[in-house]
Amino acid sequence: MTLAEPSFADRDGSIWMDGELVPWREATTHVLTHTLHYGVGVFEGVRAYSTQEGPQIFRLTDHTKRFLDSAKIMRMELPYSFDELCEAQREVFRASKLDEGYIRPLAFYGSEAMGLRAQGLSVHVSIASWPWPSYMDPVLQERGLNVQTSSYTRHHVNISMCKAKAVGHYINSILALSEANDGGYDEALMLDNEGYVAEGTGENIFLVKSGVIHTPELTSCLAGITRDTVMVFARELGFDVIERRITRDEVYIADEAFFTGTAAEVLPISQLDGRKIGTGTRGPVTEKFQSMYLEEVHGRSSGHPEWRTPVKKD
Ligand code: PPE
């Protein structure tokens, strides 16, 4: 018998909350927290990996910049500076005593007032860290995902502010993912409001066609940090990378397609809407990016040391 994973509310350890580490089980908030009712909050998903020099956080400064940008878009004034937020993420990860794990900064409103007109709400920041070894079944990392185009449209740029990684945006992703999972698929592909390919529910998408890499422009997908990492790798390998509008049938006839994201890392897409992509297994270009990504995050490549921040004290 295997024991069920403990609830996220009932674990040992510490969570950084409003400037200090508090015991995990005490990192709670009131049910009239504004964000719980209206979804105005922002978050990040960051990973730390084991390296020869101890755990290092991958692209910490880029994630922290995006966190601050998301807050600015949502008009949330964070009571912490960029440096304080970077330090806090390192502190949480040190306290976790993990070698590898996921780090989740979150900014949310307090419970001083209710309603859409609420004024003077306090802004709280929490940062938790936990082991999250593989977002998808490890088999899928090799075999690839069976994906369905979603019946849900990705946010329109003037409905949700897509540059913000905002709490409420994920309603859309969760509806799309649960629809896909109910149908037996591993993930959903979301189209934008004009019918062009946007992104997965928590990942950006890439195609490989005749030796060229294509990915949707940033107008209706999150400015993914893994997306950027893969684009840097692709250009270093001499590939042309084109950011443009892509139609769903272009994905059907691509040589390879894959998703990127902090949680997902690099994941091949083997089928979309019942059509095999290329050979229907992980393609060589996807495999190359997967291995380059893992080499980089684990510090086994000398490529981009600037992307890794040690967790240990300076
Ligand atoms: N698009 C969406 C909608 C998205 O949520 C993510 C990250 C990405 C693209 C990729 O962005 P980046 O991580 O910077 O490469 N999704 C986060 C949340 C996943 C979750 O299940 O929670 C993540 O990967 O951490």
Side-chain angles (χ1 to χ4, degrees):
M1 196 184 84
T2 52
L3 289 173
E5 280 275 295
S7 155
F8 270 89
D10 186 19
R11 296 184 175 200
D12 296 330
S14 322
I15 290 180
W16 190 94
M17 244 188 131
D18 294 332
E20 55 179 2
L21 287 175
V22 300
W24 191 286
R25 294 174 184 82
E26 289 169 28
T28 55
T29 187
H30 198 272
V31 290
L32 293 181
T33 293
H34 198 271
T35 305
L36 193 56
H37 296 251
Y38 306 107
V40 183
V42 298
F43 71 101
E44 264 308 315
V46 191
R47 271 191 188 279
Y49 290 92
S50 64
T51 77
Q52 272 200 329
E53 287 104 59
Q56 298 190 331
I57 304 178
F58 191 60
R59 302 198 65 169
L60 172 67
T61 55
D62 297 303
H63 282 284
T64 307
K65 275 184 206 142
R66 190 172 66 187
F67 188 57
L68 288 166
D69 286 346
S70 297
K72 178 177 188 176
I73 293 169
M74 303 315 290
R75 307 187 75 178
M76 298 180 86
E77 267 190 50
L78 300 191
Y80 304 100
S81 67
F82 172 82
D83 288 343
E84 285 168 332
L85 292 166
C86 288
E87 273 318 299
Q89 290 170 82
R90 293 174 66 205
E91 189 186 348
V92 168
F93 201 78
R94 269 200 305 276
S96 76
K97 305 217 164 44
L98 296 168
D99 283 336
E100 303 210 322
Y102 192 73
I103 305 171
R104 168 58 56 84
L106 169 74
F108 60 98
Y109 282 129
S111 43
E112 291 81 5
M114 264 293 133
L116 306 185
R117 287 177 182 74
Q119 297 281 320
L121 293 168
S122 54
V123 177
H124 300 270
V125 179
S126 65
I127 307 172
S129 175
W130 62 85
W132 221 8
S134 174
Y135 190 54
M136 297 282 179
D137 184 336
V139 175
L140 294 179
Q141 293 175 14
E142 200 179 318
R143 201 188 68 202
L145 307 187
N146 184 8
V147 178
Q148 182 187 38
T149 302
S150 185
S151 72
Y152 295 97
T153 300
R154 177 67 168 85
H155 300 289
H156 176 257
V157 290
N158 199 33
I159 294 177
S160 304
M161 302 295 104
C162 296
K163 293 274 177 286
K165 197 166 166 62
V167 174
H169 288 178
Y170 285 83
I171 297 172
N172 198 33
S173 287
I174 289 175
L175 287 171
L177 182 61
S178 56
E179 175 190 57
N181 289 162
D182 286 351
Y185 296 90
D186 303 308
E187 176 56 294
L189 173 65
M190 308 196 62
L191 307 181
D192 67 20
N193 64 302
E194 292 183 79
Y196 293 91
V197 170
E199 60 185 337
T201 62
E203 308 87 14
N204 291 108
I205 185 170
F206 284 84
L207 306 188
V208 185
K209 181 76 176 177
S210 308
V212 177
I213 314 286
H214 305 259
T215 192
E217 344 175 88
L218 286 179
T219 40
S220 56
C221 62
L222 189 74
I225 291 164
T226 322
R227 175 185 184 275
D228 180 74
T229 303
V230 164
M231 284 169 63
V232 170
F233 289 158
R235 291 186 171 126
E236 284 171 358
L237 291 173
F239 285 105
D240 282 331
V241 183
I242 309 177
E243 294 176 76
R244 63 176 181 85
R245 286 177 144 191
I246 293 170
T247 60
R248 64 193 272 190
D249 53 3
E250 284 185 82
V251 186
Y252 298 157
I253 57 171
D255 300 328
E256 299 180 35
F258 57 91
F259 281 129
T260 62
T262 301
E265 300 171 324
V266 179
L267 278 175
I269 302 174
S270 54
Q271 288 199 40
L272 177 64
D273 302 335
R275 280 86 163 172
K276 273 188 191 164
I277 316 269
T279 58
T281 55
R282 177 174 63 188
V285 178
T286 308
E287 191 174 352
K288 178 74 186 158
F289 290 137
Q290 257 181 342
S291 66
M292 279 179 93
Y293 191 74
L294 291 180
E295 291 293 297
E296 188 66 56
V297 296
H298 288 288
R300 294 191 294 256
S301 129
S302 55
H304 293 276
E306 74 282 7
W307 282 344
R308 296 186 304 270
T309 304
V311 163
K312 66 171 188 274
K313 279 200 173 133
D314 300 320

